[in-house]
């Protein structure tokens, strides 16, 4: 199942009150956690995630203490009170990498929705995720009592689904636009099974596993997210430094291909478009050549750079004359874009940019500066920018 189908299945299990535990089976870094996060957001549930590869038994089961000469169990700190009326999604990630004590306790959790005498809140849905059994993962065999309560979901997001998610999550990056045009280089989940069968026997996992160092640097969604973050920050120092950084996570072949793409990007700069496009014949000819060749990867990267440059321009009234040329250049650039790229640029101009807010991956929108032409509600207040968006919307209506 891809991401959309997986989320649809999770909704069905919840809404129809099916008595099973959905278990997403997929390689690391392919978006299983993100799919569960999207589902939790859809139903407005509190997401509780337990990473079993990192847990000690006491973390999962709670500690013990002595009361009146008797040993009693303490409630684990991750477990909400039974009478909590909120809806919860309890996500057991990397569940087939749990230690023996936790695997035994997992039977009680799945069958009775409790740990020791402490029950889960009534509105709690349990979802699991596991990695396929192969030489790449240290996994353990499950008890039949666990296996018989699980609905295994082969998790196979499409490359485009993963890229769309990452572009929205990171605000865009040259490396994501390059990957979108070279999706054949991305890895997926083909060639594996769940690693467990209904009779409880372990099965072979990934086939034809290449354990060479370069094979470890596949273009998985997680690697692309890391590469996008690294590239966006390291290139501020220098392109050479950014290339050196990327060499630590990309294969030599993929790094070479990406850097060739970066060389192409440097043939036309955002500054050329914003400040000189209608007057600079060379810039216009280069832009037209990419349009004629259908180089959406180059165009998307240019849109990203142009929008980031625009947000730093002073659009106060005293600069109106200077800005008229900018508006003309940007308007010309936008009206020549393919409709999908044009729509993306319109949204970025109207609503700002999505960025990573902190290490917990909370997202927030950049609040535009008062003189940027967009107020805190995303409303165009500057006449020149209003005209750009108006003209763009007219062009979109014609195209659509």
């Amino acid at each position: 199942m891809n991401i959309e189908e997986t989320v649809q299945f999770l909704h069905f299990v919840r809404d129809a009150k099916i008595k099973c535990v959905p278990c997403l089976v997929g390689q690391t870094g392919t978006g299983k956690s993100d799919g569960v996060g999207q589902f939790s957001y859809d139903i407005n549930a509190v997401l509780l995630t337990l990473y079993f590869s990192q847990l000690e038994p006491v973390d999962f089961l709670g500690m013990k203490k002595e009361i009146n000469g008797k040993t009693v169990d303490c409630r684990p700190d991750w477990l909400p009170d039974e009478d909590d009326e909120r809806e919860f999604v309890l996500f057991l990630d990397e569940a087939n990498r749990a230690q023996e004590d936790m695997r035994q306790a997992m039977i009680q959790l799945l069958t009775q929705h409790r740990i020791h005498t402490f029950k889960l809140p009534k509105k709690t849905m349990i979802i699991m995720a596991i990695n396929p059994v192969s030489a790449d993962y240290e996994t353990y065999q499950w008890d039949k009592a666990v296996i018989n309560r699980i609905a295994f979901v082969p998790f196979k997001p499409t490359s485009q689904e993963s890229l769309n998610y990452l572009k929205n999550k990171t605000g865009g990056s040259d490396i994501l636009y390059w990957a979108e045009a070279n999706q054949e280089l991305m890895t997926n989940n083909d060639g594996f099974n769940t690693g467990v069968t209904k009779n409880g026997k372990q099965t072979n996992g990934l086939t034809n596993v290449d354990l060479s160092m370069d094979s470890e640097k596949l273009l998985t969604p997680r690697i692309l997210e890391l590469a996008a973050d690294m590239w966006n920050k390291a290139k501020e120092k220098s392109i050479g430094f950014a290339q050196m950084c990327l060499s630590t996570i990309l294969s030599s072949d993929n790094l070479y291909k990406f850097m060739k793409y970066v060389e192409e990007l440097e043939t036309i700069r955002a500054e050329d478009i914003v400040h000189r496009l209608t007057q600079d014949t060379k810039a216009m000819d280069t832009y037209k050549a990419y349009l004629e060749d259908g180089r959406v990867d180059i165009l998307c990267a240019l849109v990203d750079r142009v929008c980031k440059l625009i947000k730093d321009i002073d659009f106060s009234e005293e600069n109106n004359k200077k800005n008229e040329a900018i508006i003309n250049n940007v308007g010309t650039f936008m009206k020549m874009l393919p409709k999908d790229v044009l729509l993306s640029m319109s949204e970025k101009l109207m609503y700002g940019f999505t960025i990573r807010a902190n290490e917990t991956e909370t997202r927030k929108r950049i609040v535009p500066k008062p003189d940027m032409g967009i107020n805190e509600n995303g409303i165009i207040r500057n006449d020149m920018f209003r005209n750009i968006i108006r003209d763009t919307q007219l062009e979109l209506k014609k195209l659509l």
Side-chain angles (χ1 to χ4, degrees):
M1 297 184 188
N2 59 30
I3 294 178
E4 182 179 355
E5 292 167 340
T6 298
V7 173
Q8 184 180 11
F9 176 73
L10 295 177
H11 277 284
F12 167 72
V13 171
R14 169 184 176 266
D15 297 341
K17 295 179 170 60
I18 305 296
K19 293 184 178 180
C20 71
V21 177
C23 180
L24 281 55
V25 186
Q27 296 182 55
T28 183
T30 52
K32 300 184 295 295
S33 300
D34 296 327
V36 175
Q38 178 181 330
F39 167 72
S40 303
Y41 178 83
D42 289 345
I43 64 174
N44 195 30
V46 178
L47 177 61
L48 304 174
T49 302
L50 300 179
Y51 298 99
F52 277 93
S53 63
Q54 304 172 20
L55 287 180
E56 294 293 332
V58 69
D59 299 323
F60 179 52
L61 301 172
M63 301 186 69
K64 297 181 182 293
K65 64 180 179 181
E66 181 182 341
I67 297 181
N68 298 327
K70 296 181 179 180
T71 301
V72 298
D73 297 303
C74 299
R75 176 186 292 273
D77 64 355
W78 60 265
L79 183 61
D81 292 334
E82 178 184 349
D83 57 358
D84 195 319
E85 297 183 354
R86 294 175 296 172
E87 185 164 4
F88 293 89
V89 169
L90 177 57
F91 182 40
L92 311 181
D93 200 6
E94 300 178 323
N96 60 341
R97 303 178 74 174
Q99 298 179 33
E100 175 64 24
D101 290 349
M102 291 186 283
R103 296 201 301 277
Q104 294 301 321
M106 201 180 297
I107 298 176
Q108 183 187 41
L109 180 64
L110 298 181
T111 58
Q112 302 178 28
H113 271 217
R114 69 178 185 177
I115 294 290
H116 302 308
T117 59
F118 304 110
K119 294 183 179 180
L120 295 174
K122 185 177 182 180
K123 293 189 289 186
T124 299
M125 178 177 180
I126 300 176
I127 301 174
M128 306 172 73
I130 63 175
N131 299 130
V133 177
S134 75
D136 294 334
Y137 304 106
E138 182 182 359
T139 57
Y140 300 95
Q141 185 171 343
W142 279 349
D143 190 287
K144 290 182 181 180
V146 174
I147 294 173
N148 291 333
R149 286 168 172 79
I150 292 175
F152 291 101
V153 180
F155 187 74
K156 301 180 181 180
T158 65
S159 296
Q160 192 60 56
E161 279 184 322
S162 298
L163 287 166
N164 288 343
Y165 172 80
L166 289 175
K167 286 189 291 184
N168 184 53
K169 185 176 183 179
T170 64
S173 174
D174 298 339
I175 200 163
L176 297 179
Y177 303 130
W178 166 76
E180 189 166 25
N182 297 275
Q183 293 187 30
E184 70 279 1
L185 300 176
M186 294 181 63
T187 185
N188 55 32
N189 290 30
D190 290 335
F192 76 88
N193 52 39
T194 63
V196 288
T197 62
K198 286 297 181 181
N199 63 12
K201 294 181 179 180
Q202 294 296 113
T203 60
N204 188 31
L206 286 170
T207 58
N208 301 320
V209 177
D210 179 4
L211 295 180
S212 66
M213 181 61 70
D214 232 26
S215 73
E216 299 298 317
K217 299 178 180 180
L218 298 172
L219 288 183
T220 65
R222 185 168 296 171
I223 287 294
L224 282 173
E225 180 180 357
L226 176 60
D229 187 41
M230 186 178 290
W231 174 258
N232 289 347
K233 295 174 180 177
K235 70 179 182 180
E236 295 180 1
K237 293 182 177 292
S238 73
I239 296 297
F241 177 74
Q243 180 179 353
M244 181 186 69
C245 292
L246 286 182
S247 68
T248 65
I249 56 174
L250 296 184
S251 69
S252 55
D253 186 48
N254 284 336
L255 179 60
Y256 173 79
K257 292 175 180 177
F258 174 65
M259 294 311 299
K260 294 294 290 183
Y261 165 75
V262 172
E263 287 181 14
E264 291 183 282
L265 270 178
E266 295 305 312
T267 61
I268 181 170
R269 304 178 307 155
E271 291 82 356
D272 298 329
I273 293 170
V274 173
H275 297 291
R276 294 177 288 277
L277 183 63
T278 55
Q279 298 84 29
D280 189 332
T281 304
K282 182 180 179 181
M284 180 62 78
D285 289 344
T286 303
Y287 178 42
K288 288 181 178 179
Y290 286 134
L291 288 168
E292 292 171 359
D293 292 342
R295 293 296 305 274
V296 176
D297 53 340
I298 296 288
L299 298 177
C300 287
L302 282 175
V303 162
D304 200 42
R305 295 180 176 194
V306 167
C307 287
K308 289 175 180 176
L309 180 60
I310 286 175
K311 79 180 180 67
D312 293 324
I313 294 176
D314 181 6
F315 281 98
S316 56
E317 295 298 325
E318 57 267 24
N319 292 322
N320 272 355
K321 185 175 181 180
K322 176 183 176 181
N323 291 335
E324 284 178 4
I326 293 176
I327 299 303
N328 184 37
N329 291 328
V330 175
T332 300
F333 172 73
M334 292 177 71
K335 291 177 182 179
M336 297 172 68
L337 289 171
K339 63 178 181 181
D340 290 343
V341 184
L342 175 62
L343 180 59
S344 173
M345 183 166 184
S346 298
E347 290 174 345
K348 286 188 176 184
L349 285 176
M350 292 184 72
Y351 302 114
F353 307 87
T354 304
I355 62 169
R356 298 189 65 169
N358 51 48
E359 293 184 355
T360 62
E361 298 185 350
T362 305
R363 304 293 170 262
K364 70 177 182 181
R365 190 186 55 155
I366 293 178
V367 178
K369 298 184 297 185
D371 59 358
M372 185 178 164
I374 309 176
N375 66 17
E376 65 274 12
N377 297 316
I379 305 300
I380 309 300
R381 69 168 183 81
N382 182 283
D383 288 341
M384 294 180 295
F385 255 89
R386 187 182 294 114
N387 290 338
I388 280 188
I389 301 303
R390 182 199 63 197
D391 292 344
T392 301
Q393 290 171 337
L394 291 175
E395 292 296 322
L396 278 175
K397 288 180 180 179
K398 294 176 183 178
L399 291 169
L400 298 176

Short mmCIF file of all heavy atoms in Angstrom, two decimals, residues 77-110:
data_model
loop_
_atom_site.label_atom_id
_atom_site.label_comp_id
_atom_site.label_asym_id
_atom_site.label_seq_id
_atom_site.Cartn_x
_atom_site.Cartn_y
_atom_site.Cartn_z
N ASP A 77 5.65 5.96 32.62
CA ASP A 77 5.40 7.39 32.44
C ASP A 77 4.79 7.71 31.07
O ASP A 77 4.23 8.79 30.89
CB ASP A 77 6.67 8.20 32.67
CG ASP A 77 7.76 7.88 31.67
OD1 ASP A 77 7.58 6.97 30.84
OD2 ASP A 77 8.80 8.56 31.72
N TRP A 78 4.89 6.80 30.09
CA TRP A 78 4.31 7.06 28.77
C TRP A 78 2.82 6.77 28.72
O TRP A 78 2.12 7.18 27.78
CB TRP A 78 5.00 6.21 27.70
CG TRP A 78 4.89 4.72 27.90
CD1 TRP A 78 5.80 3.91 28.52
CD2 TRP A 78 3.81 3.87 27.52
NE1 TRP A 78 5.35 2.61 28.55
CE2 TRP A 78 4.13 2.56 27.92
CE3 TRP A 78 2.59 4.09 26.86
CZ2 TRP A 78 3.28 1.47 27.71
CZ3 TRP A 78 1.75 3.01 26.64
CH2 TRP A 78 2.10 1.72 27.05
N LEU A 79 2.31 6.05 29.72
CA LEU A 79 0.93 5.55 29.71
C LEU A 79 -0.03 6.57 30.32
O LEU A 79 0.06 6.88 31.51
CB LEU A 79 0.86 4.23 30.48
CG LEU A 79 -0.48 3.51 30.53
CD1 LEU A 79 -0.94 3.14 29.13
CD2 LEU A 79 -0.38 2.25 31.40
N PRO A 80 -0.98 7.11 29.54
CA PRO A 80 -1.93 8.09 30.08
C PRO A 80 -2.89 7.43 31.09
O PRO A 80 -3.03 6.21 31.14
CB PRO A 80 -2.70 8.55 28.83
CG PRO A 80 -1.90 8.09 27.66
CD PRO A 80 -1.18 6.86 28.11
N ASP A 81 -3.55 8.25 31.87
CA ASP A 81 -4.53 7.74 32.82
C ASP A 81 -5.70 7.09 32.08
O ASP A 81 -6.10 7.52 31.00
CB ASP A 81 -5.07 8.87 33.70
CG ASP A 81 -4.00 9.42 34.65
OD1 ASP A 81 -3.08 8.65 34.99
OD2 ASP A 81 -4.09 10.61 35.02
N GLU A 82 -6.24 6.07 32.70
CA GLU A 82 -7.34 5.33 32.08
C GLU A 82 -8.55 6.20 31.79
O GLU A 82 -9.27 6.00 30.81
CB GLU A 82 -7.73 4.17 33.02
CG GLU A 82 -8.89 3.34 32.51
CD GLU A 82 -9.31 2.27 33.51
OE1 GLU A 82 -8.57 2.05 34.50
OE2 GLU A 82 -10.37 1.65 33.31
N ASP A 83 -8.80 7.19 32.64
CA ASP A 83 -10.00 8.03 32.48
C ASP A 83 -9.76 9.24 31.59
O ASP A 83 -10.62 10.13 31.50
CB ASP A 83 -10.52 8.49 33.85
CG ASP A 83 -9.45 9.25 34.65
OD1 ASP A 83 -8.31 9.37 34.14
OD2 ASP A 83 -9.76 9.71 35.76
N ASP A 84 -8.61 9.31 30.91
CA ASP A 84 -8.34 10.41 29.98
C ASP A 84 -9.29 10.27 28.78
O ASP A 84 -9.31 9.23 28.11
CB ASP A 84 -6.88 10.35 29.51
CG ASP A 84 -6.43 11.65 28.84
OD1 ASP A 84 -7.22 12.23 28.07
OD2 ASP A 84 -5.29 12.07 29.09
N GLU A 85 -10.10 11.28 28.52
CA GLU A 85 -11.14 11.19 27.49
C GLU A 85 -10.65 11.56 26.09
O GLU A 85 -11.40 11.48 25.12
CB GLU A 85 -12.32 12.09 27.87
CG GLU A 85 -13.01 11.66 29.17
CD GLU A 85 -14.22 12.52 29.48
OE1 GLU A 85 -14.44 13.52 28.75
OE2 GLU A 85 -14.92 12.22 30.45
N ARG A 86 -9.39 11.97 25.97
CA ARG A 86 -8.87 12.29 24.64
C ARG A 86 -8.68 11.02 23.82
O ARG A 86 -8.64 9.92 24.34
CB ARG A 86 -7.54 13.03 24.77
CG ARG A 86 -7.62 14.40 25.41
CD ARG A 86 -6.23 14.99 25.59
NE ARG A 86 -5.41 14.19 26.50
CZ ARG A 86 -4.12 14.40 26.72
NH1 ARG A 86 -3.49 15.38 26.07
NH2 ARG A 86 -3.44 13.65 27.58
N GLU A 87 -8.59 11.20 22.50
CA GLU A 87 -8.31 10.05 21.63
C GLU A 87 -6.80 9.93 21.45
O GLU A 87 -6.10 10.92 21.26
CB GLU A 87 -9.00 10.22 20.27
CG GLU A 87 -8.84 9.00 19.37
CD GLU A 87 -9.81 8.99 18.20
OE1 GLU A 87 -10.56 9.97 18.05
OE2 GLU A 87 -9.80 8.00 17.45
N PHE A 88 -6.31 8.68 21.49
CA PHE A 88 -4.89 8.42 21.39
C PHE A 88 -4.60 7.43 20.27
O PHE A 88 -5.40 6.54 19.98
CB PHE A 88 -4.34 7.84 22.71
CG PHE A 88 -4.35 8.79 23.87
CD1 PHE A 88 -5.46 8.88 24.70
CD2 PHE A 88 -3.26 9.60 24.14
CE1 PHE A 88 -5.49 9.75 25.77
CE2 PHE A 88 -3.27 10.48 25.20
CZ PHE A 88 -4.39 10.56 26.02
N VAL A 89 -3.43 7.60 19.68
CA VAL A 89 -2.85 6.58 18.81
C VAL A 89 -1.55 6.16 19.47
O VAL A 89 -0.64 6.97 19.65
CB VAL A 89 -2.59 7.10 17.38
CG1 VAL A 89 -1.73 6.10 16.59
CG2 VAL A 89 -3.90 7.36 16.65
N LEU A 90 -1.47 4.89 19.86
CA LEU A 90 -0.25 4.33 20.46
C LEU A 90 0.53 3.64 19.35
O LEU A 90 0.11 2.60 18.83
CB LEU A 90 -0.60 3.35 21.58
CG LEU A 90 0.59 2.64 22.25
CD1 LEU A 90 1.57 3.65 22.83
CD2 LEU A 90 0.11 1.67 23.32
N PHE A 91 1.66 4.21 18.97
CA PHE A 91 2.45 3.72 17.85
C PHE A 91 3.65 2.96 18.37
O PHE A 91 4.55 3.53 18.98
CB PHE A 91 2.88 4.89 16.97
CG PHE A 91 3.67 4.49 15.75
CD1 PHE A 91 3.33 3.37 15.01
CD2 PHE A 91 4.76 5.26 15.33
CE1 PHE A 91 4.05 3.00 13.89
CE2 PHE A 91 5.49 4.91 14.21
CZ PHE A 91 5.13 3.77 13.49
N LEU A 92 3.67 1.65 18.13
CA LEU A 92 4.77 0.79 18.57
C LEU A 92 5.73 0.63 17.40
O LEU A 92 5.55 -0.23 16.53
CB LEU A 92 4.24 -0.57 19.02
CG LEU A 92 3.06 -0.54 20.01
CD1 LEU A 92 2.64 -1.94 20.37
CD2 LEU A 92 3.41 0.27 21.25
N ASP A 93 6.74 1.47 17.34
CA ASP A 93 7.66 1.50 16.21
C ASP A 93 8.80 0.49 16.42
O ASP A 93 9.27 0.31 17.54
CB ASP A 93 8.23 2.91 16.03
CG ASP A 93 8.78 3.14 14.64
OD1 ASP A 93 8.63 2.25 13.77
OD2 ASP A 93 9.36 4.21 14.41
N GLU A 94 9.24 -0.13 15.31
CA GLU A 94 10.31 -1.14 15.34
C GLU A 94 9.96 -2.24 16.35
O GLU A 94 10.80 -2.71 17.11
CB GLU A 94 11.65 -0.49 15.68
CG GLU A 94 12.05 0.58 14.66
CD GLU A 94 13.36 1.27 15.02
OE1 GLU A 94 13.60 1.50 16.22
OE2 GLU A 94 14.14 1.57 14.10
N ALA A 95 8.72 -2.66 16.31
CA ALA A 95 8.20 -3.58 17.34
C ALA A 95 8.87 -4.94 17.30
O ALA A 95 8.91 -5.64 18.33
CB ALA A 95 6.68 -3.73 17.18
N ASN A 96 9.35 -5.37 16.14
CA ASN A 96 10.01 -6.70 16.09
C ASN A 96 11.49 -6.63 16.47
O ASN A 96 12.24 -7.56 16.24
CB ASN A 96 9.84 -7.35 14.72
CG ASN A 96 10.45 -6.52 13.59
OD1 ASN A 96 10.70 -5.33 13.73
ND2 ASN A 96 10.66 -7.16 12.45
N ARG A 97 11.90 -5.50 17.05
CA ARG A 97 13.27 -5.38 17.58
C ARG A 97 13.24 -5.26 19.11
O ARG A 97 14.24 -4.93 19.74
CB ARG A 97 13.96 -4.17 16.96
CG ARG A 97 13.98 -4.25 15.43
CD ARG A 97 14.62 -3.03 14.80
NE ARG A 97 16.06 -3.04 14.97
CZ ARG A 97 16.88 -2.14 14.41
NH1 ARG A 97 16.36 -1.16 13.68
NH2 ARG A 97 18.17 -2.21 14.60
N ALA A 98 12.07 -5.54 19.69
CA ALA A 98 11.93 -5.44 21.15
C ALA A 98 12.60 -6.62 21.85
O ALA A 98 12.65 -7.73 21.31
CB ALA A 98 10.44 -5.39 21.51
N GLN A 99 13.08 -6.38 23.06
CA GLN A 99 13.68 -7.44 23.86
C GLN A 99 12.61 -8.42 24.34
O GLN A 99 11.42 -8.14 24.31
CB GLN A 99 14.42 -6.84 25.05
CG GLN A 99 15.57 -5.93 24.68
CD GLN A 99 16.26 -5.34 25.89
OE1 GLN A 99 16.34 -5.98 26.94
NE2 GLN A 99 16.77 -4.13 25.75
N GLU A 100 13.04 -9.59 24.81
CA GLU A 100 12.13 -10.69 25.16
C GLU A 100 11.08 -10.26 26.19
O GLU A 100 9.89 -10.55 26.02
CB GLU A 100 12.94 -11.88 25.71
CG GLU A 100 12.09 -13.03 26.23
CD GLU A 100 11.25 -13.69 25.14
OE1 GLU A 100 11.62 -13.60 23.95
OE2 GLU A 100 10.22 -14.29 25.49
N ASP A 101 11.49 -9.56 27.26
CA ASP A 101 10.53 -9.16 28.29
C ASP A 101 9.43 -8.29 27.71
O ASP A 101 8.26 -8.40 28.09
CB ASP A 101 11.25 -8.40 29.41
CG ASP A 101 12.15 -9.30 30.24
OD1 ASP A 101 12.06 -10.52 30.06
OD2 ASP A 101 12.95 -8.77 31.03
N MET A 102 9.81 -7.40 26.80
CA MET A 102 8.82 -6.50 26.21
C MET A 102 7.93 -7.23 25.22
O MET A 102 6.75 -6.90 25.08
CB MET A 102 9.53 -5.32 25.55
CG MET A 102 10.19 -4.38 26.54
SD MET A 102 10.88 -2.90 25.78
CE MET A 102 12.37 -3.56 25.04
N ARG A 103 8.47 -8.23 24.52
CA ARG A 103 7.63 -8.98 23.58
C ARG A 103 6.55 -9.77 24.32
O ARG A 103 5.43 -9.90 23.84
CB ARG A 103 8.50 -9.93 22.74
CG ARG A 103 9.49 -9.20 21.85
CD ARG A 103 9.95 -10.08 20.70
NE ARG A 103 10.58 -11.32 21.13
CZ ARG A 103 11.85 -11.44 21.48
NH1 ARG A 103 12.64 -10.36 21.49
NH2 ARG A 103 12.36 -12.62 21.81
N GLN A 104 6.88 -10.28 25.51
CA GLN A 104 5.88 -10.98 26.30
C GLN A 104 4.80 -10.01 26.80
O GLN A 104 3.60 -10.32 26.77
CB GLN A 104 6.56 -11.68 27.49
CG GLN A 104 7.48 -12.81 27.10
CD GLN A 104 6.78 -13.91 26.33
OE1 GLN A 104 5.64 -14.26 26.63
NE2 GLN A 104 7.45 -14.45 25.32
N ALA A 105 5.23 -8.85 27.27
CA ALA A 105 4.27 -7.86 27.76
C ALA A 105 3.41 -7.32 26.62
O ALA A 105 2.27 -6.87 26.84
CB ALA A 105 5.00 -6.72 28.44
N MET A 106 3.94 -7.36 25.40
CA MET A 106 3.20 -6.87 24.25
C MET A 106 1.92 -7.67 24.02
O MET A 106 0.92 -7.15 23.53
CB MET A 106 4.09 -6.91 23.00
CG MET A 106 3.63 -6.00 21.88
SD MET A 106 4.72 -6.11 20.45
CE MET A 106 6.27 -5.50 21.15
N ILE A 107 1.94 -8.97 24.39
CA ILE A 107 0.75 -9.80 24.23
C ILE A 107 -0.39 -9.23 25.06
O ILE A 107 -1.53 -9.10 24.59
CB ILE A 107 1.05 -11.25 24.65
CG1 ILE A 107 2.14 -11.85 23.76
CG2 ILE A 107 -0.22 -12.10 24.59
CD1 ILE A 107 2.57 -13.24 24.17
N GLN A 108 -0.10 -8.89 26.32
CA GLN A 108 -1.14 -8.30 27.18
C GLN A 108 -1.61 -6.96 26.65
O GLN A 108 -2.81 -6.65 26.66
CB GLN A 108 -0.59 -8.14 28.60
CG GLN A 108 -1.64 -7.60 29.58
CD GLN A 108 -1.06 -7.29 30.94
OE1 GLN A 108 0.05 -6.75 31.02
NE2 GLN A 108 -1.79 -7.61 32.00
N LEU A 109 -0.68 -6.16 26.14
CA LEU A 109 -1.04 -4.84 25.62
C LEU A 109 -1.97 -4.98 24.42
O LEU A 109 -2.96 -4.25 24.30
CB LEU A 109 0.23 -4.08 25.22
CG LEU A 109 0.03 -2.68 24.66
CD1 LEU A 109 -0.58 -1.76 25.72
CD2 LEU A 109 1.36 -2.10 24.18
N LEU A 110 -1.68 -5.91 23.51
CA LEU A 110 -2.48 -6.07 22.30
C LEU A 110 -3.83 -6.73 22.58
O LEU A 110 -4.83 -6.40 21.93
CB LEU A 110 -1.71 -6.90 21.27
CG LEU A 110 -0.39 -6.31 20.77
CD1 LEU A 110 0.24 -7.23 19.73
CD2 LEU A 110 -0.58 -4.93 20.18
#
